[in-house]
Coordinates of all heavy atoms in Angstrom, one line a residue:
F457 N 5.4 4.7 -28.6 CA 6.7 4.5 -27.9 C 7.3 3.2 -28.3 O 6.6 2.1 -28.3 CB 6.5 4.6 -26.4 CG 7.8 4.3 -25.6 CD1 8.9 5.1 -25.7 CD2 7.7 3.1 -24.8 CE1 10.0 4.7 -25.0 CE2 8.9 2.8 -24.1 CZ 10.0 3.6 -24.2
A458 N 8.6 3.2 -28.7 CA 9.2 2.0 -29.1 C 10.3 1.7 -28.1 O 11.4 2.3 -28.1 CB 9.9 2.2 -30.5
P459 N 10.0 0.7 -27.2 CA 11.0 0.5 -26.1 C 12.4 0.0 -26.6 O 13.4 0.2 -25.9 CB 10.3 -0.6 -25.2 CG 9.3 -1.2 -26.1 CD 8.9 -0.1 -27.1
Y460 N 12.4 -0.7 -27.7 CA 13.6 -1.3 -28.2 C 14.3 -0.4 -29.2 O 15.2 -0.9 -30.0 CB 13.4 -2.7 -28.7 CG 13.2 -3.7 -27.6 CD1 11.9 -4.1 -27.2 CD2 14.2 -4.2 -26.8 CE1 11.7 -4.9 -26.1 CE2 14.0 -5.0 -25.8 CZ 12.8 -5.4 -25.4 OH 12.6 -6.2 -24.4
A461 N 14.0 0.8 -29.3 CA 14.8 1.8 -30.1 C 16.2 1.9 -29.5 O 16.4 1.7 -28.3 CB 14.1 3.2 -30.1
A462 N 17.1 2.2 -30.4 CA 18.5 2.3 -30.0 C 18.8 3.2 -28.8 O 19.6 2.9 -27.9 CB 19.4 2.7 -31.2
S463 N 18.1 4.3 -28.8 CA 18.3 5.3 -27.7 C 17.8 4.7 -26.4 O 18.5 5.0 -25.3 CB 17.5 6.6 -28.0 OG 16.1 6.3 -28.2
E464 N 16.7 4.0 -26.4 CA 16.2 3.4 -25.2 C 17.1 2.3 -24.7 O 17.4 2.1 -23.5 CB 14.8 2.8 -25.4 CG 13.8 3.9 -25.8 CD 13.6 5.0 -24.7 OE1 13.7 4.7 -23.5 OE2 13.4 6.2 -25.1
L465 N 17.6 1.5 -25.6 CA 18.6 0.5 -25.2 C 19.9 1.0 -24.6 O 20.4 0.5 -23.6 CB 18.9 -0.4 -26.4 CG 17.8 -1.3 -26.9 CD1 18.2 -2.0 -28.3 CD2 17.4 -2.4 -25.9
A466 N 20.3 2.2 -25.2 CA 21.5 2.8 -24.7 C 21.3 3.3 -23.3 O 22.2 3.2 -22.4 CB 21.9 3.9 -25.7
K467 N 20.2 4.0 -23.0 CA 19.9 4.5 -21.7 C 19.8 3.3 -20.7 O 20.3 3.5 -19.5 CB 18.6 5.3 -21.7 CG 18.8 6.7 -22.3 CD 17.5 7.5 -22.2 CE 16.4 7.0 -23.1 NZ 15.3 7.9 -23.1
A468 N 19.2 2.2 -21.1 CA 19.1 1.1 -20.1 C 20.4 0.5 -19.8 O 20.7 0.2 -18.7 CB 18.1 0.0 -20.7
A469 N 21.3 0.4 -20.8 CA 22.6 -0.2 -20.6 C 23.4 0.7 -19.7 O 24.2 0.2 -18.8 CB 23.3 -0.4 -22.0
A470 N 23.3 2.0 -19.9 CA 24.1 3.0 -19.1 C 23.7 2.9 -17.7 O 24.4 2.9 -16.7 CB 23.9 4.4 -19.7
S471 N 22.3 2.9 -17.5 CA 21.8 2.8 -16.1 C 22.2 1.6 -15.4 O 22.6 1.6 -14.2 CB 20.3 2.9 -16.2 OG 19.7 2.8 -14.9
T472 N 22.2 0.4 -16.1 CA 22.5 -0.8 -15.5 C 24.0 -0.9 -15.2 O 24.4 -1.3 -14.0 CB 22.2 -2.0 -16.5 OG1 20.8 -2.0 -16.8 CG2 22.6 -3.3 -15.8
A473 N 24.9 -0.4 -16.1 CA 26.3 -0.4 -15.9 C 26.7 0.5 -14.7 O 27.5 0.1 -13.8 CB 27.0 0.1 -17.1
V474 N 26.1 1.7 -14.6 CA 26.5 2.6 -13.5 C 26.0 2.1 -12.2 O 26.7 2.1 -11.2 CB 25.8 4.0 -13.8 CG1 26.0 4.9 -12.5 CG2 26.4 4.7 -15.0
G475 N 24.8 1.4 -12.2 CA 24.4 0.8 -10.9 C 25.3 -0.3 -10.4 O 25.6 -0.4 -9.2
I476 N 25.7 -1.2 -11.3 CA 26.6 -2.3 -10.9 C 27.9 -1.8 -10.5 O 28.5 -2.2 -9.4 CB 26.7 -3.3 -12.1 CG1 25.4 -4.0 -12.3 CG2 27.8 -4.3 -11.8 CD1 25.4 -4.9 -13.5
L477 N 28.5 -0.9 -11.3 CA 29.8 -0.3 -10.9 C 29.7 0.5 -9.6 O 30.6 0.5 -8.8 CB 30.3 0.6 -12.0 CG 30.7 -0.1 -13.3 CD1 31.0 1.0 -14.4 CD2 31.9 -1.0 -13.1
G478 N 28.6 1.1 -9.4 CA 28.4 1.9 -8.1 C 28.4 0.9 -6.9 O 28.9 1.2 -5.9
F479 N 27.8 -0.2 -7.1 CA 27.8 -1.2 -6.0 C 29.2 -1.7 -5.7 O 29.6 -1.8 -4.5 CB 26.8 -2.4 -6.3 CG 27.0 -3.5 -5.3 CD1 26.6 -3.4 -4.0 CD2 27.6 -4.7 -5.7 CE1 26.7 -4.4 -3.1 CE2 27.7 -5.8 -4.8 CZ 27.3 -5.6 -3.5
L480 N 29.9 -2.0 -6.8 CA 31.2 -2.5 -6.6 C 32.1 -1.5 -5.9 O 33.0 -1.9 -5.1 CB 31.8 -2.9 -7.9 CG 31.2 -4.1 -8.7 CD1 31.8 -4.4 -10.0 CD2 31.2 -5.4 -7.8
A481 N 31.9 -0.3 -6.3 CA 32.8 0.8 -5.7 C 32.4 1.2 -4.3 O 33.2 1.6 -3.5 CB 32.8 2.0 -6.6
L482 N 31.1 1.1 -4.0 CA 30.6 1.6 -2.7 C 30.1 0.5 -1.8 O 29.5 0.8 -0.7 CB 29.4 2.5 -3.0 CG 29.7 3.7 -3.9 CD1 28.4 4.5 -4.2 CD2 30.6 4.7 -3.2
R483 N 30.4 -0.7 -2.1 CA 30.0 -1.8 -1.3 C 30.4 -1.7 0.2 O 29.6 -1.8 1.1 CB 30.5 -3.1 -1.8 CG 30.0 -4.4 -1.1 CD 30.4 -5.6 -1.8 NE 31.9 -5.8 -1.7 CZ 32.6 -6.7 -2.4 NH1 31.9 -7.5 -3.2 NH2 33.9 -6.7 -2.2
G484 N 31.6 -1.3 0.4 CA 32.1 -1.1 1.8 C 31.5 0.1 2.5 O 30.9 -0.1 3.6
P485 N 31.6 1.3 1.9 CA 31.0 2.4 2.6 C 29.5 2.2 2.9 O 29.0 2.7 3.9 CB 31.2 3.6 1.6 CG 32.4 3.2 0.9 CD 32.3 1.7 0.8
I486 N 28.7 1.6 1.9 CA 27.3 1.5 2.1 C 27.0 0.6 3.3 O 26.0 0.9 4.1 CB 26.7 0.8 0.9 CG1 26.6 1.8 -0.3 CG2 25.3 0.2 1.1 CD1 26.2 1.2 -1.6
S487 N 27.8 -0.4 3.6 CA 27.6 -1.3 4.7 C 27.8 -0.6 6.1 O 27.3 -1.1 7.1 CB 28.5 -2.5 4.6 OG 29.9 -2.1 4.8
R488 N 28.5 0.6 6.1 CA 28.7 1.3 7.3 C 27.8 2.5 7.5 O 27.8 3.1 8.6 CB 30.2 1.7 7.3 CG 31.2 0.6 7.4 CD 32.6 1.1 7.6 NE 33.1 1.9 6.5 CZ 33.8 1.3 5.4 NH1 34.0 0.0 5.4 NH2 34.2 2.1 4.4
L489 N 27.0 2.8 6.5 CA 26.1 4.0 6.6 C 24.9 3.6 7.5 O 24.3 2.5 7.4 CB 25.7 4.4 5.2 CG 26.7 5.1 4.4 CD1 26.1 5.4 3.0 CD2 27.2 6.4 5.0
P490 N 24.5 4.5 8.4 CA 23.3 4.3 9.2 C 22.0 4.6 8.4 O 22.1 5.3 7.5 CB 23.4 5.3 10.4 CG 24.2 6.5 9.7 CD 25.2 5.8 8.8
V491 N 21.0 3.9 8.8 CA 19.7 4.1 8.1 C 19.0 5.3 8.9 O 18.8 5.2 10.1 CB 18.8 2.9 8.2 CG1 17.4 3.1 7.6 CG2 19.5 1.7 7.5
V492 N 18.7 6.3 8.2 CA 18.1 7.5 8.8 C 16.8 7.9 8.0 O 16.8 8.6 7.0 CB 19.0 8.8 8.7 CG1 18.4 9.9 9.5 CG2 20.4 8.4 9.4
D493 N 15.7 7.2 8.4 CA 14.4 7.5 7.7 C 13.7 8.6 8.5 O 14.1 8.9 9.6 CB 13.6 6.2 7.7 CG 12.4 6.3 6.8 OD1 12.2 7.3 6.1 OD2 11.7 5.3 6.6
V494 N 12.7 9.1 7.9 CA 12.0 10.2 8.6 C 11.3 9.7 9.9 O 11.0 10.5 10.7 CB 10.9 10.8 7.6 CG1 11.5 11.5 6.5 CG2 9.9 9.8 7.2
D495 N 11.1 8.4 10.0 CA 10.4 8.0 11.2 C 11.4 8.2 12.4 O 10.9 8.3 13.6 CB 10.1 6.5 11.1 CG 11.3 5.6 11.1 OD1 12.1 5.8 10.2 OD2 11.5 4.8 12.0
R496 N 12.7 8.3 12.2 CA 13.6 8.6 13.3 C 13.4 9.9 13.9 O 13.8 10.3 14.9 CB 15.0 8.4 12.8 CG 15.4 7.1 12.2 CD 15.3 6.0 13.2 NE 15.5 4.6 12.7 CZ 16.7 4.1 12.6 NH1 17.8 4.7 13.1 NH2 16.8 2.9 12.1
V497 N 12.8 10.8 13.1 CA 12.4 12.2 13.5 C 10.9 12.3 13.9 O 10.6 12.8 15.0 CB 12.7 13.2 12.4 CG1 12.3 14.6 12.8 CG2 14.2 13.2 12.0
L498 N 10.1 11.7 13.0 CA 8.6 11.8 13.3 C 8.2 11.1 14.5 O 7.4 11.6 15.3 CB 7.9 11.4 12.0 CG 8.0 12.2 10.8 CD1 7.2 11.6 9.6 CD2 7.5 13.6 11.0
Y499 N 8.6 9.8 14.7 CA 8.1 9.0 15.8 C 8.5 9.6 17.1 O 7.6 9.8 18.0 CB 8.6 7.6 15.6 CG 7.8 6.8 14.7 CD1 6.9 7.4 13.8 CD2 7.9 5.4 14.6 CE1 6.2 6.6 12.9 CE2 7.2 4.6 13.7 CZ 6.3 5.3 12.9 OH 5.6 4.5 12.0
P500 N 9.7 10.0 17.4 CA 10.0 10.6 18.7 C 9.3 11.9 18.9 O 8.7 12.2 20.0 CB 11.5 10.9 18.6 CG 12.1 9.9 17.7 CD 11.0 9.7 16.6
A501 N 9.2 12.7 17.8 CA 8.4 14.0 17.9 C 7.0 13.7 18.2 O 6.3 14.4 19.1 CB 8.6 14.8 16.7
G502 N 6.4 12.7 17.5 CA 5.0 12.4 17.7 C 4.8 11.9 19.1 O 3.8 12.2 19.8
N503 N 5.7 11.1 19.7 CA 5.6 10.6 21.1 C 5.6 11.7 22.0 O 4.9 11.7 23.0 CB 6.7 9.6 21.4 CG 6.5 8.2 20.7 OD1 5.4 7.9 20.4 ND2 7.6 7.5 20.4
R504 N 6.5 12.7 21.8 CA 6.6 13.8 22.7 C 5.3 14.7 22.7 O 4.8 15.1 23.7 CB 7.8 14.7 22.3 CG 9.2 14.1 22.7 CD 10.3 15.2 22.6 NE 10.5 15.6 21.3 CZ 11.3 15.1 20.4 NH1 12.0 14.0 20.8 NH2 11.5 15.5 19.2
V505 N 4.8 14.9 21.5 CA 3.5 15.7 21.4 C 2.4 14.9 22.1 O 1.6 15.5 22.8 CB 3.2 15.9 19.9 CG1 1.8 16.5 19.8 CG2 4.2 16.8 19.3
A506 N 2.4 13.6 21.9 CA 1.3 12.8 22.5 C 1.4 12.8 24.0 O 0.4 13.0 24.7 CB 1.3 11.4 21.9
N507 N 2.6 12.6 24.5 CA 2.8 12.6 26.0 C 2.5 13.9 26.6 O 1.9 14.0 27.7 CB 4.2 12.1 26.3 CG 4.5 10.7 25.9 OD1 3.6 9.9 25.9 ND2 5.7 10.3 25.7
T508 N 3.0 15.0 25.9 CA 2.7 16.4 26.5 C 1.2 16.6 26.5 O 0.7 17.2 27.5 CB 3.4 17.4 25.6 OG1 4.8 17.1 25.6 CG2 3.2 18.8 26.2
T509 N 0.5 16.3 25.4 CA -0.9 16.5 25.3 C -1.7 15.7 26.4 O -2.6 16.2 27.0 CB -1.4 16.1 23.9 OG1 -0.7 16.9 22.9 CG2 -2.9 16.4 23.8
A510 N -1.2 14.4 26.5 CA -1.9 13.6 27.5 C -1.7 14.1 29.0 O -2.7 14.2 29.7 CB -1.3 12.2 27.5

Side-chain angles (χ1 to χ4, degrees):
F457 175 64
Y460 286 98
S463 59
E464 299 300 324
L465 292 172
K467 283 187 287 188
S471 176
T472 303
V474 172
I476 293 174
L477 292 174
F479 170 69
L480 295 175
L482 301 174
R483 186 175 65 190
I486 287 174
S487 65
R488 295 189 291 271
L489 287 174
V491 179
V492 185
D493 197 356
V494 295
D495 69 300
R496 303 296 176 91
V497 177
L498 291 180
Y499 278 12
N503 286 334
R504 286 194 294 271
V505 170
N507 291 335
T508 301
T509 303

